[in-house]
């Protein structure tokens, strides 16, 4: 598999879109409402739009699309960094090789279990497991052992991790097969930037310097049978419009070649990091307004691809973009290995980057609940084998509403019973009662009343 990103092609798309006229933009906005996605040419036109009135129309449409496909759900997860040794030297990352002042840590399996118990006590059921890229300190054997440890670790109160997504360096097909056999959920990997020259400048040493090896990782993962993959770009390294088109071309190439596109797209924005020169002064900073715009446009261009937002962003920005298209969020995160079990002010010396949202998981959950979002800890699709193309077949508005909304409510009920603070429990129960009442389909409403009652009486892990 060869490099399929042509810088000139993307630049030409943006150049051709120029300063689009109003009629053309409105036509594309109308087309996006059909929920069939947008071509790169059309997406380029939206990206080149800067008329404030049209931007508002873009926001409005993204809100409608998010609402009709995903409803009010926000799926929650916690990142778990197990090691920060790295042989790469990405100029924006605190883990980079040349950061000699970083406290290097590779958690033992006992420490991994301690971290997992701390995360489970916050109510999380989903992990995103990550580490640096290092041949001996972050080997695949080590990583797989950590996955097995995390799945096997339960708290006395019944806390358990039901799905582990992973974000680690690209590998060959046999190794991807081993990763799949470890029962992972989604394989996530960010291209960082789709612009070759910027990529070269940002990744001066180590295996990550190979743009094409990273770009084609998702194809190899699919070849190895991992049909749930997640793309991402690190916004702030190069022109955000270029990166959105890069992501879209990557998604479409995967779909054409492997029969299924990415399950998710992540949109990390560059944050300050310890001893990371490119993080303290981003080469191409993305403003809050541009960030909102790119979230809305991705929602319109790939309506059925989940969009992930991390705690890199501040609570204010997170709140503003949830309704524009975000479907998954992290909460209560630590980016230093060992940071959940032992919170210390020295954490930043081992962390990958600084957090924009430092609230606890319960504070985040309280906040989103009061805003009418349904916090979801659901892991049903993966465990029922509804992944890849099967998931995409299910991802029709009506079906998502039936399955995902109900499962979100059941897992949220578990959270309220087992982990919520009194104030979160109060607003959460009110939200659930209102949702049951507003469930139009009689059959779904009856299932919900029956299952929520069973959870109240002590049953757990119910899903449809
Ligand atoms: N080492 C692997 C890799 O590079 O793909 C695993 C994931 S790395 C720990 C997670 C991601 O964090 C990177 O892909 C990068 O996009 C992001 N990241 C690194 N430094 C960052 C910073 N200063 N601000 C925001 N995100 C950052
Ligand atoms: Fe290592 Fe990943 Fe950080 Fe690059 S982004 S220095 S590969 S941990």
């Amino acid at each position: 598999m060869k490099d399929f990103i042509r810088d000139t092609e993307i630049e030409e798309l943006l150049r051709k879109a120029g300063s689009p006229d109003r009629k053309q933009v409105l036509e594309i906005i109308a087309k996006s409402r059909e929920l069939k996605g947008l071509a790169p040419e059309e997406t380029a036109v939206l990206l080149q739009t800067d008329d404030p009135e049209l931007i508002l129309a873009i926001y409005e449409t993204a809100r409608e699309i998010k609402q009709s496909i995903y409803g009010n759900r926000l799926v929650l997860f916690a990142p778990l960094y197990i090691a920060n040794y790295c042989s790469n030297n990405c100029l924006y990352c605190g883990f980079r090789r040349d950061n000699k002042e970083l406290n290097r840590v590779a958690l033992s399996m006992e420490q991994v279990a301690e971290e997992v118990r701390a995360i489970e006590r916050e109510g999380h059921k989903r992990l995103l497991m990550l580490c640096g890229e290092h041949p001996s300190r972050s080997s695949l054997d080590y990583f797989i052992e950590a996955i097995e440890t995390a799945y096997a670790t339960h708290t006395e109160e019944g806390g358990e991790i039901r799905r582990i997504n992973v974000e680690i360096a690209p590998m060959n097909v046999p190794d991807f097969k081993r990763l799949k056999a470890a029962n992972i959920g989604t394989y996530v990997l960010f291209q960082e930037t789709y612009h070759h020259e910027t990529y070269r400048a940002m990744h001066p040493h180590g295996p990550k310097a190979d743009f094409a090896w990273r770009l084609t990782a998702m194809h190899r993962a699919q070849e190895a049978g991992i049909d749930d993959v997640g793309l991402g770009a690190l916004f702030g390294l190069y022109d955000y419009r270029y990166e959105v088109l890069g992501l879209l071309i990557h998604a479409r190439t995967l779909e054409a070649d492997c029969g299924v596109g990415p399950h998710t797209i992540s949109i990390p924005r560059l944050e300050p990091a310890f001893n990371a020169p490119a993080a303290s002064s981003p080469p191409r900073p993305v403003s809050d307004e541009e960030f909102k715009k790119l979230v809305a446009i991705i929602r319109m261009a790939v309506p059925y691809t989940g969009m992930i937002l991390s705690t890199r962003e501040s609570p204010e920005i997170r709140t503003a973009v949830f309704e524009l298209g975000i479907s998954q969020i992290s909460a209560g995160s630590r980016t230093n290995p060992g940071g959940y079990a032992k919170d210390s002010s020295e954490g930043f010396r081992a962390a990958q980057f600084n957090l924009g949202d430092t609230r606890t998981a319960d504070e985040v959950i309280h906040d989103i609940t009061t805003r009418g979002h349904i916090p979801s800890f659901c892991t049903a699709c993966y465990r029922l084998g509804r992944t890849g193309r099967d998931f995409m077949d299910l991802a029709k508005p009506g079906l998502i509403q039936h399955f995902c909304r109900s499962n979100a409510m059941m897992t949220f009920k578990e959270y309220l019973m087992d982990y919520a603070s009194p104030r979160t429990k109060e607003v959460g129960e009110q939200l659930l009662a209102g949702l049951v009442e507003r469930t139009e389909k009689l059959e779904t409403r009856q299932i919900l009343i029956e299952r929520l009652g069973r959870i109240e009486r002590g049953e757990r892990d119910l899903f449809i």
Side-chain angles (χ1 to χ4, degrees):
M1 184 78 205
K2 285 205 199 105
D3 182 355
F4 49 85
I5 294 288
R6 304 271 159 274
D7 295 7
T8 46
E9 191 184 311
I10 299 181
E11 274 149 15
E12 183 61 13
L13 281 169
L14 288 169
R15 202 193 53 74
K16 261 199 180 152
S19 310
D21 70 47
R22 193 182 157 78
K23 183 164 165 282
Q24 192 187 11
V25 175
L26 289 174
E27 274 168 16
I28 294 170
I29 291 178
K31 184 176 171 203
S32 75
R33 288 210 169 90
E34 294 166 17
L35 307 182
K36 293 191 183 121
L38 297 175
E41 296 75 11
E42 295 161 333
T43 309
V45 169
L46 296 187
L47 288 164
Q48 292 290 49
T49 304
D50 46 23
D51 174 341
E53 208 182 299
L54 291 173
I55 301 272
L56 285 181
I58 287 175
Y59 289 169
E60 197 46 48
T61 312
R63 269 191 208 105
E64 279 171 36
I65 295 174
K66 146 98 196 206
Q67 196 54 36
S68 76
I69 297 183
Y70 301 87
N72 282 340
R73 286 172 309 115
L74 281 174
V75 173
L76 285 134
F77 71 94
L80 173 57
Y81 286 76
I82 60 167
N84 62 10
Y85 286 89
C86 197
S87 48
N88 292 313
N89 207 16
C90 314
L91 296 187
Y92 44 80
C93 178
F95 291 178
R96 69 201 187 92
R97 189 185 81 174
D98 283 358
N99 185 1
K100 304 290 182 215
E101 290 174 287
L102 190 81
N103 293 339
R104 299 283 168 181
V105 185
L107 298 182
S108 66
M109 290 308 133
E110 186 37 52
Q111 289 171 317
V112 168
E114 260 182 62
E115 288 288 273
V116 171
R117 279 191 288 270
I119 291 171
E120 288 171 348
R121 285 196 192 101
E122 290 181 359
H124 282 291
K125 304 284 185 246
R126 269 181 191 237
L127 283 186
L128 173 65
M129 197 182 274
L130 318 91
C131 64
E133 179 169 9
H134 195 276
S136 56
R137 300 295 194 141
S138 292
S139 67
L140 184 58
D141 286 340
Y142 167 74
F143 197 79
I144 288 177
E145 202 186 340
I147 294 175
E148 289 164 354
T149 304
Y151 274 131
T153 301
H154 307 281
T155 61
E156 282 168 14
E157 303 80 36
E160 60 176 354
I161 295 301
R162 298 175 182 160
R163 170 171 173 144
I164 303 179
N165 298 335
V166 304
E167 188 173 341
I168 43 168
M171 54 196 90
N172 58 28
V173 175
D175 282 349
F176 270 129
K177 285 190 177 156
R178 292 187 56 209
L179 195 60
K180 176 167 169 74
N183 204 13
I184 60 157
T186 310
Y187 173 67
V188 177
L189 186 73
F190 306 158
Q191 186 60 27
E192 319 295 11
T193 172
Y194 287 90
H195 186 249
H196 289 81
E197 196 186 315
T198 306
Y199 191 94
R200 263 193 300 279
M202 289 294 140
H203 306 101
H205 306 290
K208 194 161 164 181
D210 189 341
F211 179 99
W213 179 249
R214 195 168 180 92
L215 181 71
T216 52
M218 297 311 186
H219 281 75
R220 292 191 299 281
Q222 296 262 6
E223 197 183 326
I226 300 175
D227 59 3
D228 252 35
V229 298
L231 308 182
L234 183 55
F235 286 93
L237 297 179
Y238 191 61
D239 184 342
Y240 77 94
R241 293 164 296 190
Y242 181 102
E243 304 295 14
V244 169
L245 292 176
L247 282 166
L248 192 57
I249 290 168
H250 196 167
R252 288 166 71 97
T253 308
L254 265 179
E255 197 164 355
D257 296 348
C258 309
V260 52
H263 184 61
T264 54
I265 287 181
S266 298
I267 44 163
R269 195 160 50 149
L270 210 51
E271 282 295 317
F274 180 41
N275 284 343
S280 29
S281 54
R284 298 292 286 268
V286 176
S287 71
D288 290 350
E289 280 312 310
E290 288 166 339
F291 191 65
K292 284 199 254 173
K293 182 176 152 190
L294 76 88
V295 170
I297 293 175
I298 292 176
R299 183 69 302 135
M300 293 158 80
V302 281
Y304 290 104
T305 304
M307 214 183 324
I308 303 182
L309 186 73
S310 77
T311 50
R312 290 173 179 86
E313 298 297 335
S314 68
E316 295 71 31
I317 282 293
R318 276 161 57 98
T319 304
V321 295
F322 286 159
E323 56 175 17
L324 296 178
I326 302 299
S327 56
Q328 285 190 38
I329 61 167
S330 50
S333 307
R334 305 280 184 283
T335 65
N336 54 317
Y340 290 97
K342 284 194 192 59
D343 208 358
S344 88
S345 56
E346 280 294 281
F348 84 97
R349 287 196 167 273
Q352 196 192 17
F353 50 80
N354 299 347
L355 297 175
D357 185 349
T358 53
R359 295 172 298 173
T360 64
D362 191 72
E363 283 166 349
V364 172
I365 292 166
H366 178 267
D367 181 33
I368 62 178
T369 306
T370 56
R371 294 174 197 280
H373 300 287
I374 317 170
S376 174
F377 298 87
C378 181
T379 53
C381 275
Y382 178 70
R383 290 153 84 213
L384 292 171
R386 294 192 298 235
T387 62
R389 205 177 306 181
D390 291 343
F391 173 81
M392 288 303 168
D393 288 345
L394 188 81
K396 305 283 179 314
L399 288 176
I400 280 211
Q401 289 294 10
H402 175 68
F403 286 99
C404 303
R405 179 178 181 269
S406 304
N407 287 335
M409 289 169 67
M410 288 186 251
T411 54
F412 186 38
K413 176 76 181 176
E414 282 190 6
Y415 176 82
L416 296 177
M417 299 290 299
D418 297 339
Y419 303 100
S421 63
R423 67 177 197 144
T424 302
K425 191 162 165 59
E426 192 187 330
V427 292
E429 291 292 357
Q430 276 167 16
L431 179 80
L432 285 181
L435 289 166
V436 171
E437 221 176 277
R438 290 196 299 279
T439 303
E440 278 167 23
K441 220 168 141 203
L442 187 62
E443 187 200 339
T444 310
R445 194 183 326 152
Q446 282 167 342
I447 292 176
L448 276 173
I449 293 171
E450 188 251 342
R451 302 278 168 110
L452 292 175
R454 280 166 59 188
I455 295 169
E456 183 100 34
R457 292 188 292 279
E459 274 190 67
R460 292 291 174 270
D461 204 12
L462 303 180
F463 50 84
I464 58 172

